[in-house]
Amino acid sequence: MKKELVVGTARAATRTVAKGAVPVGTRAGGGPIEIPLVVLNGADDGPLLWIDGAIHGDEHEGPLSIFRLMEQLDPTTVRGAVVGVPVVNVAAWEASTRGNPADLFTYDLNRIYPGRPDGHLTERIADAHHRTMIEHADLEVSIHSGGAHSYLAWAQFYNPTPEGIELAKAMGPQWDLLLKSFSDRGSPMAAMKAKGKPAITVELGGLGDTFPTRFRETGDALARAFLNIMRHYRMIDGTPQYAKRWMVGQQKTVILAPTSGFWLPVPDALRQRVTQDTLLARILTVHGDLAAEIRAPYDGIPFGMRTNPSVQLGDWCVFYGVIEEEITA
Ligand SMILES: [Zn+2]
């Protein structure tokens, strides 16, 4: 018999949705430091799908897609449960910056899991989030994008285990680029893997693509993928859809700016399979002269591209993957 689900301060009776937070501490001004969450407790037993947004505070696709998912779910028909964490890193999100500007020591929350209970501020947030997630989650999805600097297109990082690949494939037809995680440490996905649980990190969007209709489309596309995951794991009725084939590889590099200047990508270079030396972008001087050309370092696929035209030496420019195999099942 399905019971009340208690996650942090949220208490969801069977067939209901509850809102609450994971407490972390107190701000100097007296308000709480906490991680807000939405808990949907379904009608019957099934897996608990845990979805994290805004681990990076300049990536707003996560909260939007969790809101859009929850609008479309009826707790009286769900098997299992869904926990949505729209904004994991609240202070970073309030500032719309990648990390919390008040934490100069552990700025990037996505590199420090499982955190430390007695660590710097962001490490404590990671620790509180990690302990709660590991206790409850059967499946975890972290939602990322190009944030304030770039656009990332329909890519996901997965753990190369049978369960990890199964979850990645369950995202649906448009999610046909599967990249092995570039690090086995530091992210919620890595922390889930350490506990033998499947998790993925998905990448779609960026602040350069938040025009109202486009932003809505991105949120809906992600929510559709989460509904597809729920169909795949029989959490809701309906037939899941899959890609016909998947490109499987790894993020081999992020091309960093060889010089500062004005960033000008080649139109349509994004998410096309390209051969070595294909021109991807140019950097111009402040007088409009050519300062550098960015070319494909080897055969592969640029799945993310800088969109902020002001570029400084060493900035992220092109997120670049190599395809190692194509699979059809
Ligand atoms: Zn991110």
Side-chain angles (χ1 to χ4, degrees):
M1 191 61 193
K2 202 159 172 17
K3 297 187 300 221
E4 181 185 50
L5 177 59
V6 181
V7 185
T9 62
R11 309 182 72 94
T14 309
R15 301 167 185 250
T16 67
V17 177
K19 292 164 189 177
V22 177
V24 180
T26 304
R27 297 169 62 96
I33 301 169
E34 60 184 18
I35 306 165
L37 39 81
V38 183
V39 177
L40 182 151
N41 192 8
D44 290 303
D45 287 334
L48 190 145
L49 171 63
W50 183 289
I51 307 177
D52 288 312
I55 290 170
H56 292 138
D58 58 340
E59 301 173 9
H60 302 284
E61 294 75 10
L64 174 65
S65 60
I66 290 170
F67 302 154
R68 293 292 293 144
L69 173 67
M70 290 295 179
E71 284 168 22
Q72 296 173 68
L73 289 177
D74 174 357
T76 67
T77 62
V78 168
R79 292 176 285 274
V82 181
V83 174
V85 188
V87 175
V88 180
N89 196 346
V90 171
W93 177 73
E94 286 173 344
S96 200
T97 51
R98 182 176 178 86
N100 178 356
D103 183 348
L104 302 178
F105 301 101
T106 49
Y107 183 72
D108 192 334
L109 174 58
N110 206 43
R111 302 287 186 270
I112 59 173
Y113 277 78
R116 288 194 299 160
D118 55 353
H120 297 294
L121 172 55
T122 308
E123 288 180 311
R124 294 177 190 235
I125 290 165
D127 171 68
H129 177 254
H130 175 258
R131 277 187 284 110
T132 314
M133 175 182 76
I134 289 300
E135 180 186 347
H136 294 284
D138 297 309
L139 309 159
E140 190 262 351
V141 180
S142 287
I143 308 161
H144 288 260
S145 74
H149 47 85
S150 298
Y151 179 85
L152 269 67
W154 306 97
Q156 43 175 331
F157 296 99
Y158 71 101
N159 285 324
T161 61
E163 298 78 18
I165 293 171
E166 179 184 354
L167 176 56
K169 288 179 173 176
M171 283 284 284
Q174 285 175 284
W175 295 87
D176 62 351
L177 178 59
L178 311 186
L179 301 168
K180 253 178 245 123
S181 179
F182 55 86
S183 171
D184 239 7
R185 298 166 59 102
S187 65
M189 180 171 78
M192 286 287 285
K193 185 187 174 202
K195 299 288 180 187
K197 297 182 179 193
I200 51 175
T201 299
V202 305
E203 301 274 5
L204 181 65
L207 272 182
D209 198 44
T210 50
F211 186 79
T213 49
R214 293 285 305 257
F215 190 47
R216 171 97 177 186
E217 282 169 20
T218 299
D220 284 348
L222 286 161
R224 272 199 307 279
F226 306 148
L227 291 169
N228 204 64
I229 287 174
M230 294 181 70
R231 290 186 195 103
H232 174 84
Y233 290 97
R234 304 185 195 289
M235 297 174 70
I236 54 173
D237 291 337
T239 307
Q241 306 292 317
Y242 304 97
K244 291 193 172 61
R245 61 179 182 84
W246 291 269
M247 297 177 281
V248 180
Q250 55 181 304
Q251 175 181 318
K252 204 124 182 225
T253 189
V254 181
I255 301 174
L256 303 179
T259 184
S260 304
F262 187 92
W263 173 253
L264 202 57
V266 172
D268 304 328
L270 182 63
R271 216 176 184 285
Q272 303 297 318
R273 291 186 74 166
V274 296
T275 53
Q276 186 175 6
D277 291 329
T278 300
L279 182 66
L280 304 176
R282 296 181 176 87
I283 296 175
L284 306 182
T285 69
V286 75
H287 293 104
D289 300 321
L290 182 67
E293 289 183 336
I294 310 297
R295 292 182 177 273
Y298 20 72
D299 296 359
I301 183 166
F303 64 91
M305 187 72 78
R306 182 177 189 83
T307 51
N308 181 350
S310 164
V311 64
Q312 315 305 319
L313 178 67
D315 272 348
W316 273 329
C317 285
V318 183
F319 296 78
Y320 201 82
V322 291
I323 308 302
E324 292 163 338
E325 58 176 331
E326 292 205 17
I327 57 175
T328 54

